[in-house]
Amino acid sequence: MVVAARKGGVTGSPLTSSPVSITSTAQPGFLGGWLSRIPLPRWAFIAVAVAVAILFLLFLICIIKCCCCKKKPKKKERVGLLPFSSSTMANLVQPEMEDLEQGTEQKWRGKLQYSLEYNFRAHELKVGVKQAADLKAMDSGGTSDPYVIVYLTSDTTKRYETKVYRKTLNPIFNESFTFQVPQAEVPESTLVMQIYDFNRFAKHDIIGEVRLPLAKVNLQHVIEQWSDLAAASKVEEEQLGEICFSLRYVPSTGKLTVLILEAKKLKRMDSHGLSDPFVKVHLILNRKKWKKKKTSVKKNTLSPYFNEVFVFEVPFSQIQNVDVVISVWDHDTVSKDEPIGKLSLGCRATGNQLRHWSDMLANPRRPLAQWHSLQPPDLVDKALGLKSHLKLPLTSR
């Protein structure tokens, strides 16, 4: 029995100890038992847990940012509804006001005092350049070296200049200039006074200008006034004049008729304020000068009347390749004739010139007259792409 008991104790002791070991492994609970069933090592669980935590934090950060962004506009809207005397509103507006003040200072160029007097008997316009004040500083030392250029848009070749005054923003000029302007042309002219900063070693910088259309000025009495300087125009559009002519083309006979009627408001080319104009008509075929005719010379006038007709034979097969160049010249008996302005018509033309040419082709045998503005000769030659005699054979291929 004792032996049996000992055997039983020996055999029984494992039975009593095994439940204890089972309960000790079951202590982590349901989560531990669930995790024990997944065939993954412990470091994998840790890595997954860290990744989940990071994603969760990022999600929270995104939610916080979205909430803050949505709230900021509401605060701005509330600030915008506050009364104008609010300090918060003043703080928000003040930087913008400073920017506006800086912009105003940058735009400010100064002012100019001048006088105008027109002599109706002598047809003379006397322009007095008195003084300038509060000019914009153009030099590094905070000053400028100003002088004034005066001219009329009706004759940009005749310009007057004042003396240069060194290192000042308030120069006193007290100089006067006289222009010969017929009374009929006064309303069509604009007086331009430009103030420049003199620079000995570089291009002179323009400070500002005053443009005064004479049509808006009462010249019955002497005028003396101040005007603020404005930004100068980038390009001075020189008025060269206008010309009226008609075109007629008959396809069956291949005859192109050009009738030069009249011109007006031509640019003054002579010292006495007039010109001796005449008109040349060139036919250009494949960028090569082909045929040429010209009118008679009209003496001492800016509004000549010609009424002269020229007939050219142009086959219908070549009419698409022909350019008609009409140029107005000033005749000079002593020196070389000078071009006043040009224009070209043809299939390569643009604007009114192309429209006039297209109307002529669309209405055969019918003369069509039209006014055209003259253009600078060099621009017309460049647009036509005229070649020198050495290069002409290359364009005929």
Side-chain angles (χ1 to χ4, degrees):
M1 291 293 292
V2 175
V3 174
R6 288 177 180 175
K7 291 181 179 180
V10 172
T11 56
S13 60
L15 293 175
T16 56
S17 61
S18 59
V20 174
S21 62
I22 292 172
T23 55
S24 62
T25 56
Q27 280 181 356
F30 175 77
L31 181 60
W34 181 74
L35 292 175
S36 66
R37 296 177 184 177
I38 300 174
L40 291 174
R42 180 176 290 273
W43 63 268
F45 287 115
I46 295 174
V48 171
V50 172
V52 172
I54 292 173
L55 292 175
F56 183 72
L57 289 175
L58 293 175
F59 179 72
L60 289 178
I61 292 172
C62 292
I63 293 176
I64 293 172
K65 285 186 176 182
C66 291
C67 294
C68 293
C69 292
K70 289 181 179 179
K71 290 180 180 180
K72 283 182 180 179
K74 292 182 180 179
K75 289 182 180 180
K76 287 184 179 180
E77 290 175 2
R78 293 195 198 102
V79 171
L81 295 174
L82 290 176
F84 198 77
S85 60
S86 173
S87 60
T88 305
M89 188 65 178
N91 292 333
L92 290 174
V93 173
Q94 190 63 33
E96 297 179 2
M97 293 297 293
E98 290 176 355
D99 293 340
L100 291 175
E101 290 176 0
Q102 291 178 0
T104 304
E105 291 176 358
Q106 291 177 358
K107 290 181 180 179
W108 175 254
R109 302 171 183 275
K111 54 185 179 179
L112 178 68
Q113 185 186 30
Y114 56 91
S115 65
L116 295 177
E117 181 180 0
Y118 186 72
N119 188 329
F120 288 90
R121 292 184 178 180
H123 302 288
E124 292 180 350
L125 177 67
K126 186 177 181 181
V127 180
V129 180
K130 301 296 183 179
Q131 59 181 322
D134 302 328
L135 294 179
K136 180 180 178 181
M138 305 297 289
D139 300 336
S140 58
T143 61
S144 295
D145 302 322
Y147 69 96
V148 183
I149 293 179
V150 184
Y151 65 92
L152 294 173
T153 56
S154 56
D155 185 11
T156 58
T157 59
K158 191 173 185 179
R159 298 173 179 238
Y160 294 103
E161 294 185 10
T162 67
K163 296 179 181 178
V164 178
Y165 289 81
R166 302 285 184 177
K167 300 183 182 302
T168 178
L169 300 179
N170 300 282
I172 299 177
F173 300 103
N174 283 333
E175 297 186 40
S176 60
F177 311 101
T178 303
F179 296 90
Q180 292 288 335
V181 186
Q183 186 175 349
E185 297 181 10
V186 169
E188 301 175 357
S189 300
T190 298
L191 176 65
V192 182
M193 294 170 284
Q194 296 177 326
I195 300 184
Y196 281 83
D197 172 50
F198 177 82
N199 194 325
R200 185 178 298 276
F201 303 106
K203 183 179 179 181
H204 300 180
D205 298 320
I206 186 167
I207 301 175
E209 70 176 12
V210 174
R211 285 182 177 262
L212 190 65
L214 298 183
K216 299 180 180 180
V217 179
N218 184 8
L219 296 175
Q220 299 293 333
H221 58 276
V222 179
I223 296 173
E224 185 171 326
Q225 61 186 14
W226 286 89
S227 291
D228 293 337
L229 296 175
S233 302
K234 294 182 179 179
V235 178
E236 181 65 43
E237 295 182 359
E238 187 178 16
Q239 300 297 324
L240 302 177
E242 301 177 39
I243 185 171
C244 181
F245 55 89
S246 73
L247 298 176
R248 178 175 180 262
Y249 184 67
V250 181
S252 59
T253 60
K255 289 187 177 181
L256 175 64
T257 303
V258 180
L259 173 61
I260 305 299
L261 294 171
E262 59 179 317
K264 64 180 180 180
K265 301 178 184 178
L266 294 180
K267 177 182 175 181
R268 297 177 176 88
M269 303 296 291
D270 299 337
S271 58
H272 55 273
L274 296 174
S275 298
D276 302 323
F278 68 96
V279 179
K280 289 182 182 180
V281 181
H282 280 89
L283 258 61
I284 297 175
L285 179 62
N286 295 327
R287 299 186 181 183
K288 179 181 179 181
K289 291 182 179 180
W290 185 26
K291 299 178 181 179
K292 177 184 71 173
K293 296 184 179 180
K294 62 180 180 180
T295 67
S296 58
V297 177
K298 305 298 178 180
K299 294 288 187 178
N300 299 327
T301 178
L302 299 177
S303 300
Y305 181 77
F306 298 100
N307 196 26
E308 299 184 33
V309 62
F310 306 109
V311 180
F312 301 91
E313 291 187 3
V314 182
F316 183 72
S317 59
Q318 296 289 348
I319 193 65
Q320 300 290 340
N321 302 322
V322 168
D323 295 297
V324 177
V325 178
I326 296 178
S327 56
V328 181
W329 295 71
D330 174 53
H331 176 70
D332 199 322
T333 56
V334 178
S335 60
K336 188 178 180 181
D337 297 340
E338 296 182 88
I340 298 176
K342 287 186 179 182
L343 61 96
S344 65
L345 302 98
C347 295
R348 294 191 297 156
T350 58
N352 291 330
Q353 289 86 349
L354 177 60
R355 188 178 299 109
H356 194 178
W357 186 260
S358 300
D359 291 344
M360 178 199 71
L361 296 177
N363 298 273
R365 302 179 180 85
R366 179 182 173 186
L368 297 174
Q370 186 174 326
W371 281 95
H372 293 273
S373 297
L374 294 174
Q375 301 171 2
D378 54 342
L379 294 181
V380 176
D381 293 341
K382 184 178 180 181
L384 290 173
L386 297 178
K387 305 294 183 179
S388 64
H389 293 293
L390 294 176
K391 295 182 180 181
L392 279 173
L394 298 177
T395 60
S396 61
R397 289 186 294 178

